[in-house]
Amino acid sequence: MRDSANTRILDAGEASAIEQAAAKIREGGVVAFPTETVYGLGADTFNKEAVCRIYEIKKRPSFDPLIVHVCSPDEAIRLWCEIPSVALTLMKKFWPGPLTLVLPKNPSVPDLVTAGLGTVAVRMPKNPVALELIRKSGTPIAAPSANRFGGVSPTTAQAVYEDLKDGPDFILDGGPAVIGLESTVLKIEKNLGVLLRPGGVAVEELENFLRVRTASRSAKMPESPGQLKSHYATQTPLCLLDRPLGHTLDELEKFRGGRPAGRYPRIGLLSFGSPTDPDGLFHAAEELSAKKSLREAAAKLFQVMRKLDKMGLDLILATPVPERGIGLAIMDRLRKASSINNLMGFLSGWK
Ligand code: AMP
Ligand code: MG
């Protein structure tokens, strides 16, 4: 990874790197930085021109609001205008960490950041580089994930560079993201939590503190723009299986048998546990976690999706993971990345 014409790579471990990045934020620049969830593309929340550049670089539609990153609960409290006691309890329990809280905004928060909504989403990250960057910038940092809109989120500085080279002023390299999936986004309404996006904090954990309902997806306008159906998508068509691989192996075998030699598609398998491919049906196979740990699978998911996406495959086939704990967030990302509902239908139309 080398500096490009307009983007400098800074190693967060080097003295003064974080200070340089913070100075850039203060002067209205845009900096990609590590968090424990994924890399963010950040700017001063109160600088509208800088925030505008985030939307431009990402090619993000202006109806999709940003999460504001703070370095202390007090800084968050200044961004909201109504804070129920359950929000304070959640902040105490889960901050710093991958929980974003959505509450009515203070009028000082620009509409551009919230896409015109009356609420603002705020989170205090746990990654020490992110915290120091926010502290040294002296302002909350508005930041979506540092990738092109709709694509796979970046969990390394390299992935940011591949997507956005020449976009941000700096990319602050702080190593791979530990959690690897975005934060849980929770809107607080009185003492009820509305789950807008599953993520790094499991819903089961939140339910110890308040009742959580999932935001309805049936409404014409979703409660949160991040609930768009297609997101996190690879360029290669991806199909998420709704059952274990066994049956599909038989179907693929039969399909291959009925095709002329050499006319079988290049299929990559994205498998939760160790992949099984006794008949050589897959061109490539990647596992998320040999020991079937959901945490490990979450940390590897986006990295493995990017790896498979670069192999020139015709199709990525993903196996489901159990929908508990962070597994709910993994399945949410896989469903949104999945562009093919009917595997055999897709294959029969394949030339
Ligand atoms: P990203 O930072 O790209 O992972 O996306 C942030 C997501 O947070 C958005 O797509 C929305 O789903 C959600 N979000 C941010 N602000 C709000 C808000 N004020 N109300 C509802 N959802 C929000
Ligand atoms: Mg994103």
Side-chain angles (χ1 to χ4, degrees):
M1 203 175 18
R2 279 182 298 132
D3 294 349
S4 64
N6 299 314
T7 300
R8 273 191 60 198
I9 318 289
L10 299 176
D11 178 347
E14 273 178 17
S16 87
I18 299 180
E19 178 49 45
Q20 273 185 72
K24 192 48 94 179
I25 297 275
R26 287 194 300 269
E27 71 191 41
V30 174
V31 173
F33 65 99
T35 83
E36 74 279 22
T37 58
V38 300
Y39 272 68
L41 186 65
D44 174 0
T45 299
F46 298 106
N47 184 327
K48 291 180 204 158
E49 266 176 53
V51 171
C52 215
R53 254 186 79 202
I54 293 181
Y55 283 91
E56 282 165 16
I57 293 171
K58 271 195 72 120
K59 304 207 183 331
R60 183 176 177 111
S62 56
F63 61 74
D64 197 356
L66 309 182
I67 292 173
V68 178
H69 294 70
V70 294
C71 63
S72 70
D74 282 346
E75 197 173 29
I77 288 169
R78 287 194 289 275
L79 297 166
W80 290 320
C81 66
E82 273 167 49
I83 303 147
S85 62
V86 69
L88 296 172
T89 308
L90 291 173
M91 284 154 72
K92 227 184 199 159
K93 172 74 186 159
F94 295 104
W95 282 13
L99 177 67
T100 297
L101 295 174
V102 176
L103 283 164
K105 83 179 184 82
N106 185 294
S108 64
V109 179
D111 285 341
L112 189 62
V113 171
T114 66
L117 297 171
T119 52
V120 62
V122 184
R123 170 171 109 83
M124 178 178 171
K126 195 169 189 173
N127 180 302
V129 174
L131 284 173
E132 202 179 331
L133 175 69
I134 304 164
R135 203 171 297 127
K136 289 196 156 138
S137 300
T139 180
I141 296 182
S145 52
N147 56 285
R148 288 231 189 273
F149 179 72
V152 181
S153 300
T155 54
T156 59
Q158 175 74 34
V160 177
Y161 182 79
E162 284 166 14
D163 260 26
L164 301 181
K165 175 175 43 208
D166 273 339
D169 297 301
F170 291 141
I171 299 174
L172 191 54
D173 186 350
V178 177
I179 293 179
L181 276 185
E182 295 86 347
S183 59
T184 302
V185 181
L186 190 74
K187 186 174 179 189
I188 309 286
E189 289 177 352
K190 297 204 176 80
N191 279 327
L192 176 74
V194 182
L195 183 70
L196 300 178
R197 176 177 74 186
V201 170
V203 178
E204 295 91 323
E205 281 187 76
L206 296 173
E207 280 172 339
N208 292 326
F209 299 90
L210 78 175
R211 197 158 68 76
V212 179
R213 80 167 169 85
T214 303
S216 105
R217 279 156 203 274
S218 57
K220 265 199 190 138
M221 263 308 279
E223 262 177 80
S224 165
Q227 293 176 291
L228 292 174
K229 258 183 101 182
S230 165
H231 217 79
Y232 315 109
T234 46
Q235 306 282 316
T236 314
L238 185 146
C239 177
L240 171 64
L241 295 175
D242 55 7
R243 53 186 184 179
L245 191 58
H247 290 283
T248 309
L249 289 178
D250 294 343
E251 284 177 350
L252 287 176
E253 177 86 78
K254 216 180 278 167
F255 171 75
R256 184 172 61 180
R259 310 256 323 162
R263 300 307 304 271
Y264 178 72
R266 291 155 61 96
I267 304 177
L269 179 68
L270 193 167
S271 158
F272 176 39
S274 299
T276 34
D277 185 17
D279 302 310
L281 290 162
F282 301 112
H283 185 80
E286 292 287 331
E287 71 190 10
L288 292 178
S289 170
K291 55 179 194 272
K292 295 203 168 181
S293 144
L294 288 169
R295 286 266 155 213
E296 186 183 19
K300 276 180 75 179
L301 177 70
F302 288 146
Q303 189 193 323
V304 166
M305 281 168 71
R306 281 176 179 268
K307 183 172 177 187
L308 289 169
D309 206 15
K310 284 184 197 158
M311 290 182 177
L313 300 165
D314 300 304
L315 175 71
I316 298 170
L317 202 59
T319 64
V321 311
E323 285 196 76
R324 58 180 149 72
I326 201 169
L328 185 68
I330 298 175
M331 285 297 279
D332 171 74
R333 307 305 186 266
L334 285 173
R335 281 200 185 98
K336 287 182 176 155
S338 180
S339 50
I340 294 162
N341 290 327
N342 177 346
L343 174 64
M344 295 324 287
F346 170 80
L347 287 177
S348 62
W350 196 81
K351 300 271 178 291

